[in-house]
Every structure is written in C-alpha cells, then in structure tokens.
Amino acid sequence: MSDTSFYVTDEGRQGRIAEPFANDRSFGVGTGFNDPRVAKKWESSGGGMVSTANDYARFLQMLLNGGTLDGKRLLGPKTVAYMTSDHLGTAVVPGPYYLPGAGYGFGLGFAVRRDAGVSPVNSSPGEYNWAGVGGTAFWVDPKEDMIVVYMMQSPSKRVHYRALLRDMIYAAMLK
C-alpha cells in the first residue's frame, strides 16, 4: 500500500488528491475539511487517512482472502474472522442515530451484517463495510466473493450515492 498515508506532503503526488468542491466541505457539526497536504501532530485512520482505489482494493482483497495477499500471510484467518464478527450482540439497542444502521452490528472497525432481513441495505449476511465522511465507502461480501471500493469526495451527496451504487451492483448480479 505505497499510496496510503495520513498526509500527502510530497508535492509531486499532491495533484492526485481528490477534494470536495469549495461549496461542499461541510462534514457536520464540529468538523471541517482536513487538508491532507499539511502534516499534523495527530494521526487517525478515522480522521483523515488518504489512499488510492488500488491500495484500498488490495487491503480489502487481503481481508476477503482471509488475511493473505500475493502469497503472503498478513493476518491469521481467525483474526480476520474475529475482526469481521459482530461484537455488540444485544448490548446495544439500535435507535434512530445508530450507525451502522438497522440489521448491522459492529466488529473491530467494520459494520457487520447480522442477517438477511431488517436492513433496507442490499447485501448478504456476513458482509462488512465502512465509509468515510467525505463520501468514500467500501464493503466486502464474502458470500458473493466481492469487494467494492467507492471513492468520491462529496459530503452532501455521500448517503444518496452510496445507496444507489449498492442497489445497482446487487441488482446487476445474476446469481
């Protein structure tokens, strides 16, 4: 994952940074646009990590493969299974502001689909996903042997297009 970092300080790579339009940089209350060209003191993957579609896809393919990529074991299969299992169970009762949404629990860094019903989101039980505040999203559906990486930067359109993309992909599947 040579193009994944917390910042892009190399001026030669800065032209590849995708950014929301100037009028679409509001991420919600108390948050603002994080300029990836400027290195800051604190690094958080949930707070502005940057990557390319190719690096992201390789990471997800490694997870789908049970922890291996290019013939190298990076994580044990039991570790991946543990990470992608629901750890909430009935301890948390979903309400109107519950992320990741109805029908989902939460693993170690991922929303995890519990069963085929309940959620209005199209996917298979065992699917796991997460999304960035700017609009990026991914999901891994082991039942379908599928990974999806969606890279966009439009906070105001993120919810609409994520759902549309998911519906189109599952509707196009023949099996």
Side-chain angles (χ1 to χ4, degrees):
M1 295 177 67
S2 60
D3 284 322
T4 300
S5 181
F6 291 99
Y7 306 104
V8 183
T9 55
D10 177 354
E11 290 184 17
R13 292 181 173 206
Q14 290 177 350
R16 300 181 342 172
I17 297 171
E19 300 181 54
F21 290 121
N23 64 348
D24 193 10
R25 293 182 181 225
S26 176
F27 299 124
V29 176
T31 61
F33 176 70
N34 180 35
D35 189 345
R37 290 173 285 263
V38 180
K40 296 191 176 132
K41 184 176 181 179
W42 304 109
E43 297 176 344
S44 165
S45 61
M49 190 172 227
V50 293
S51 190
T52 60
N54 188 57
D55 273 8
Y56 219 147
R58 288 178 52 77
F59 172 69
L60 298 177
Q61 187 65 56
M62 180 271 300
L63 293 174
L64 182 63
N65 293 348
T68 63
L69 185 67
D70 299 335
K72 295 178 184 171
R73 176 148 306 280
L74 302 167
L75 293 173
K78 290 187 182 214
T79 300
V80 174
Y82 188 67
M83 291 170 62
T84 60
S85 297
D86 176 30
H87 291 264
L88 297 181
T90 58
V92 174
V93 178
Y97 302 109
Y98 172 72
L99 286 175
Y104 281 85
F106 207 80
L108 303 180
F110 310 104
V112 179
R113 182 73 181 252
R114 291 182 179 155
D115 44 38
V118 183
S119 177
V121 175
N122 204 346
S123 73
S124 307
E127 169 262 316
Y128 50 97
N129 72 79
W130 200 244
V133 70
T136 59
F138 79 85
W139 74 88
V140 178
D141 190 331
K143 181 178 182 238
E144 299 296 344
D145 193 30
M146 173 174 69
I147 63 169
V148 175
V149 177
Y150 180 57
M151 306 287 269
M152 73 174 281
Q153 290 295 301
S154 179
S156 67
K157 306 284 189 254
R158 66 185 182 234
V159 174
H160 171 77
Y161 284 109
R162 285 177 191 155
L164 185 62
L165 175 71
R166 190 178 280 261
D167 285 345
M168 289 187 329
I169 288 173
Y170 280 99
M173 296 176 76
L174 299 176
K175 63 173 191 158

